[in-house]
Amino acid sequence: MSHIEERLDHVRTLIQEPEFLEGKGLSNEVNIRIFCYEPEDEMAVRHFVDQLETDHSLSCRLKICNLYQTFLSVCEDMDIIDAIPDMEVEDGSIFLLEQLHSAIGEGEFIDKIQYEPHESGDVLMLTGVGEVFPFMRIHALLEALQPHFSDVPILVMYPGEFDGRHVKLFNRLQPNDYYRAFNVV
């Protein structure tokens, strides 16, 4: 068994533990955990998430949210998805990114991610963090999600590093401050 598979097996166990589900041991902090992995392990992580999604033996209710699919859904709702490639060709990538950032923010993501009612045993798993970059940054989204999911543990599948203070996507990009989460595994 590879190192990433062992670590992912630990995640499968962790998300079902009562202490994780209740946020115990976090000193009254928000229950946000980040599972960091090497970007080259992305396909193994995707396979793991696909398996979890269909695993009916889990003792938690996993709510998986792929942030890139969420972004595409927001674009479809705004009826802009077909215009994006032409805008990039005509006006350039920087202009396109500025326009998308002004039209789509954390609020639009939260509207798509939010569900009711939250129930004991729910776990919100965020995937697609690398795919949605640079349209959404995980540190900004987590900050905005906190008030909406204070009663549900959030687990971020993160292709990069988190040192307890900074997230560094793909182990290469400029680190961004985020200090309210905890590393897992």
Side-chain angles (χ1 to χ4, degrees):
M1 181 178 289
S2 74
H3 181 64
I4 187 66
E5 289 170 337
E6 289 175 19
R7 293 179 67 228
L8 290 168
D9 281 346
H10 185 72
V11 167
R12 179 188 307 270
T13 301
L14 176 73
I15 62 174
Q16 299 179 79
E17 292 176 355
E19 294 81 18
F20 173 83
L21 294 170
E22 296 167 13
K24 290 191 174 171
L26 295 180
S27 303
N28 295 323
E29 293 288 333
V30 293
N31 196 356
I32 298 175
R33 318 284 178 105
I34 298 179
F35 176 78
C36 298
Y37 59 92
E38 296 298 322
E40 56 267 20
D41 289 330
E42 179 68 26
M43 297 315 290
V45 172
R46 287 185 191 183
H47 178 71
F48 169 76
V49 171
D50 289 345
Q51 285 181 323
L52 281 182
E53 200 162 28
T54 59
D55 186 346
H56 299 291
S57 70
L58 293 176
S59 61
C60 64
R61 277 181 301 288
L62 203 53
K63 307 290 187 178
I64 298 173
C65 177
N66 180 298
L67 296 176
Y68 184 66
Q69 294 302 319
T70 302
F71 172 74
L72 293 178
S73 179
V74 170
C75 289
E76 286 174 2
D77 290 351
M78 297 175 82
D79 201 25
I80 62 172
I81 200 158
D82 293 332
I84 289 174
D86 292 336
M87 182 184 280
E88 185 173 22
V89 168
E90 291 171 14
D91 301 315
S93 298
I94 294 172
F95 179 78
L96 172 64
L97 187 57
E98 289 170 352
Q99 294 303 304
L100 288 171
H101 278 172
S102 68
I104 302 171
E106 293 86 12
E108 286 74 19
F109 275 79
I110 291 169
D111 288 346
K112 288 285 184 182
I113 296 169
Q114 183 64 282
Y115 66 90
E116 295 293 335
H118 296 174
E119 296 181 29
S120 179
D122 286 357
V123 175
L124 176 61
M125 178 182 281
L126 300 178
T127 67
V129 174
E131 294 171 86
V132 78
F133 176 83
F135 307 113
M136 177 55 61
R137 301 283 182 95
I138 194 64
H139 69 284
L141 181 60
L142 288 175
E143 195 72 37
L145 274 175
Q146 286 174 266
H148 302 278
F149 286 90
S150 61
D151 57 340
V152 175
I154 299 173
L155 177 61
V156 180
M157 305 304 278
Y158 190 79
E161 301 171 357
F162 175 59
D163 65 7
R165 291 195 61 225
H166 304 93
V167 288
K168 188 174 183 183
L169 191 60
F170 307 128
N171 301 334
R172 295 178 169 205
L173 300 180
Q174 172 95 19
N176 290 297
D177 290 345
Y178 192 75
Y179 58 90
R180 301 199 104 174
F182 297 89
N183 267 317
V184 296
V185 189

